[in-house]
């Protein structure tokens, strides 16, 4: 298949590009390195060193003997986007090119507007380019489990049956996101669903849980590694815990630590997206996959990292800090996730195995993390944005 990956330079984008190319797909990608710039703008960097795109691609070719084509540019530039779409004629577009951080979107008005403008307008451009030039193409759109929030009922895959005043219908499940970033994805979902209903495009909207991990099967050499963020804004919780553990910084569960989320290993995120690409829906169909493996609370996860740390002779401590976010810390959380399993998804390894791989990988880059350790403790609060550092140990 011809697959065009939007956001090919990112944490998942680069991992996915290698996986799909290795599998024999014809892979092209777009990126304008916005993620690298945004991480730099908050004073951080990838804990694992990553090469420039040109070097990454040539190293991949040398090692795995497959080509990946790259186009540098931004989805907000419609002329650029339509040119690439016409040239690459994708059977499938995987859209990962969004600002993905909740805290980054909550810094202040500028960051909120940047996030929503970048994400929503970028996706609209993709939908128009598909409508105009490749109406048969399948859009695999990365949404987030955070679109649903944490309702006090089970979360279905996108839609649910409802009976109201004696009448029945199947409707989109309510969205109650917890940040302006998560809201941008809710708006995207509305636009993608609309394009499927009105223009008969086809799409899989992936409600993905929090991703963790340092490597996939294709990363057989340091030159092929993907980025790894650990700062307050771009690091996700398990990744942050592992970076904290290797430099002797106490792990940082926010608040009481009872908040639960769905989690998925990077290697499985890539596996699931590949499954979606290889099993497209029919024309006009909009389907939703909940993409997660297991559900954990953030304090449970901290315990796992302590446990695995012991095995590697790391003395890992936990020090909860006051929660900079406004979110439920004690709640019901049960999520349907049958669609991907029915298509063959099987988790690759247990979370503790992955944490061990992560800690082993990160120990090598201890100095790089230590050098930037001031980006670890949160200073963006949901109530006040970024001001003086407010999170004190509880
Ligand atoms: N948390 C801690 N300690 C930390 C960091 C986070 O307790 O040091 C907590 C947060 O308060 C939150 C949970 O861990 O309750 C998850 O936070 P996160 O930063 O790992 O993930 P989140 O902000 O939810 O966003 C991430 C990705 C985003 C994706 C989302 C999936 O950055 O792109 O959409 O995970 S989900 O959470 O299912 O919405």
């Amino acid at each position: 298949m011809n697959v065009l990956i939007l956001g090919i330079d990112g944490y998942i984008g680069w991992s996915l590009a290698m996986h799909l190319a290795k599998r024999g797909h014809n892979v092209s990608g777009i990126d304008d390195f916005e993620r690298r710039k945004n991480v730099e703008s908050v004073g951080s960097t990838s804990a694992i060193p990553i090469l420039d795109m040109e070097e990454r691609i040539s190293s991949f070719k040398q090692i795995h003997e497959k080509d990946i084509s790259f186009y540098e540019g931004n989805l907000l530039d419609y002329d650029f986007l339509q040119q690439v779409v016409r040239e690459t004629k994708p059977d499938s577009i995987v859209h990962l090119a969004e600002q993905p951080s909740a805290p980054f979107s909550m810094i202040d008005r500028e960051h909120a507007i940047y996030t929503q403008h970048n994400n929503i307008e970028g996706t609209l451009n993709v939908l128009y380019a598909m409508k105009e030039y490749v109406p048969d193409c399948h859009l695999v759109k990365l949404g987030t489990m955070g679109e649903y929030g944490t309702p006090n009922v089970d979360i279905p895959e996108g839609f649910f049956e409802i009976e109201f005043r004696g009448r029945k219908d199947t409707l989109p499940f309510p969205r109650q996101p917890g940040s302006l970033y998560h809201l941008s994805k809710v708006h995207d979902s509305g636009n993608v669903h609309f394009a499927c209903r009105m223009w008969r495009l086809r799409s899989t909207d992936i409600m993905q849980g929090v991703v963790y991990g340092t490597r996939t099967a294709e990363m057989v050499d340091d030159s092929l590694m993907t980025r790894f963020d650990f700062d307050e804004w771009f690091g996700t919780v398990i990744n942050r815990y592992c970076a904290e553990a290797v430099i002797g910084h106490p792990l940082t569960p926010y608040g009481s630590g009872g908040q639960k989320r769905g989690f998925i290993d990077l290697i499985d995120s890539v596996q699931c997206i590949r499954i979606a690409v290889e099993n497209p829906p029919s024309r006009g169909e909009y389907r939703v996959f909940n993409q997660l493996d297991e559900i954990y609370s953030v304090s449970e996860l901290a315990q796992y990292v302590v446990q695995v740390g012991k095995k590697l002779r790391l003395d890992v401590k936990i020090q909860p800090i006051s929660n900079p976010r406004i979110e439920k810390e004690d709640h019901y959380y049960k999520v349907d996730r049958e669609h991907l399993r029915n298509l063959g998804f099987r988790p690759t390894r247990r979370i503790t195995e992955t944490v061990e791989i992560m800690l082993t990988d990160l120990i090598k880059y201890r100095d790089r993390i230590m050098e930037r350790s001031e980006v670890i403790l949160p200073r963006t609060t949901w109530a006040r944005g970024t001001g003086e550092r407010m999170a004190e140990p509880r």
Side-chain angles (χ1 to χ4, degrees):
M1 279 180 157
N2 290 341
V3 185
L4 176 61
I5 300 175
L6 314 178
I8 193 173
D9 188 51
Y11 177 52
I12 300 172
W14 174 242
S15 316
L16 179 69
M18 292 196 290
H19 182 61
L20 292 179
K22 191 78 209 286
R23 180 127 171 131
H25 295 295
N26 183 14
V27 176
S28 315
I30 288 179
D31 212 296
D32 78 338
F33 308 115
E34 200 101 339
R35 171 62 170 271
R36 295 191 191 217
K37 291 175 215 157
N38 287 340
V39 172
E40 216 171 279
S41 79
V42 293
S44 192
T45 192
S46 168
I48 298 180
I50 50 172
L51 299 183
D52 289 344
M53 185 49 75
E54 218 173 281
E55 298 167 322
R56 284 181 141 177
I57 289 177
S58 87
S59 172
F60 177 71
K61 185 169 167 91
Q62 246 176 25
I63 295 170
H64 290 292
E65 297 175 345
K66 299 277 182 194
D67 286 309
I68 293 175
S69 319
F70 177 64
Y71 299 84
E72 183 173 348
N74 193 307
L75 300 190
L76 300 186
D77 178 351
Y78 188 69
D79 282 346
F80 162 76
L81 175 64
Q82 54 102 351
Q83 199 58 47
V84 177
V85 166
R86 289 164 73 176
E87 206 172 304
T88 55
K89 298 187 183 55
D91 300 300
S92 195
I93 294 180
V94 183
H95 181 10
L96 309 165
E98 298 206 327
Q99 192 299 94
S101 159
F104 191 78
S105 76
M106 299 298 287
I107 291 176
D108 56 18
R109 190 184 64 88
E110 283 77 16
H111 287 80
I113 288 178
Y114 163 76
T115 301
Q116 294 211 348
H117 177 239
N118 182 72
N119 294 2
I120 299 165
E121 190 174 321
T123 298
L124 261 179
N125 276 342
V126 173
L127 293 171
Y128 270 96
M130 286 176 64
K131 173 180 185 259
E132 227 166 311
Y133 303 107
V134 284
D136 209 33
C137 175
H138 170 205
L139 174 64
V140 179
K141 166 70 175 61
L142 196 72
T144 166
M145 276 305 298
E147 291 191 28
Y148 302 117
T150 51
N152 197 29
V153 293
D154 291 5
I155 299 176
E157 301 203 66
F159 293 86
F160 74 143
E161 274 182 23
I162 180 163
E163 187 173 343
F164 182 60
R165 294 185 180 156
R167 302 187 64 81
K168 283 188 187 162
D169 204 349
T170 299
L171 293 174
F173 189 74
R175 281 11 188 207
Q176 301 185 87
S179 78
L180 288 162
Y181 148 71
H182 286 100
L183 255 169
S184 72
K185 299 253 179 180
V186 174
H187 299 316
D188 280 341
S189 287
N191 288 345
V192 173
H193 190 192
F194 177 89
C196 293
R197 285 185 290 130
M198 300 298 150
W199 307 334
R200 295 189 51 70
L201 298 185
R202 61 177 99 207
S203 178
T204 306
D205 203 355
I206 293 178
M207 303 298 121
Q208 181 165 254
V210 186
V211 184
Y212 61 93
T214 43
R215 52 174 68 237
T216 59
E218 290 73 26
M219 295 175 198
V220 292
D221 185 83
D222 282 355
S223 63
L224 299 180
M225 295 302 280
T226 196
R227 61 175 309 112
F228 186 93
D229 295 293
F230 58 97
D231 61 89
E232 160 195 357
W233 299 274
F234 292 96
T236 51
V237 61
I238 307 182
N239 290 3
R240 278 167 55 74
Y241 284 171
C242 290
E244 290 163 355
V246 300
I247 62 163
H249 190 292
L251 309 190
T252 53
Y254 296 164
S256 69
Q259 50 284 48
K260 296 187 196 116
R261 295 290 181 274
F263 290 86
I264 186 160
D265 192 321
L266 179 63
I267 198 168
D268 291 332
S269 165
V270 157
Q271 180 195 166
C272 287
I273 297 174
R274 196 249 307 144
I275 289 172
V277 164
E278 291 176 354
N279 297 278
S282 20
R283 264 311 280 277
E285 189 183 345
Y286 168 81
R287 66 181 181 187
V288 177
F289 288 176
N290 290 345
Q291 184 164 301
L292 60 146
D293 176 15
E294 286 300 335
I295 292 171
Y296 304 99
S297 74
V298 300
S299 57
E300 251 176 293
L301 292 171
Q303 295 297 344
Y304 285 141
V305 175
V306 171
Q307 243 176 53
V308 180
K310 254 192 209 131
K311 201 170 153 194
L312 300 179
R313 293 166 196 278
L314 294 169
D315 180 22
V316 186
K317 300 257 181 315
I318 302 176
Q319 186 162 42
I321 55 177
S322 55
N323 197 337
R325 307 184 181 195
I326 297 172
E327 61 185 358
K328 289 184 206 152
E329 291 176 9
D330 181 16
H331 58 94
Y332 180 80
Y333 201 58
K334 190 153 177 264
V335 182
D336 292 356
R337 42 192 188 280
E338 291 310 312
H339 290 347
L340 277 160
R341 283 177 202 249
N342 292 342
L343 288 172
F345 163 54
R346 295 291 174 271
T348 307
R349 50 197 177 214
R350 280 176 303 140
I351 188 163
T352 43
E353 291 172 56
T354 299
V355 167
E356 185 169 344
I357 297 170
M358 292 168 72
L359 293 174
T360 310
D361 277 335
L362 291 172
I363 284 169
K364 282 209 300 202
Y365 301 113
R366 200 177 245 152
D367 290 350
R368 283 172 68 89
I369 303 169
M370 196 76 102
E371 257 169 46
R372 311 277 177 145
S373 59
E374 78 281 359
V375 297
I376 289 179
L377 280 181
R379 62 191 104 158
T380 300
T381 73
W382 263 221
R384 283 170 289 192
T386 292
E388 290 306 298
R389 181 161 280 140
M390 288 162 207
E392 295 300 332
R394 285 193 313 137

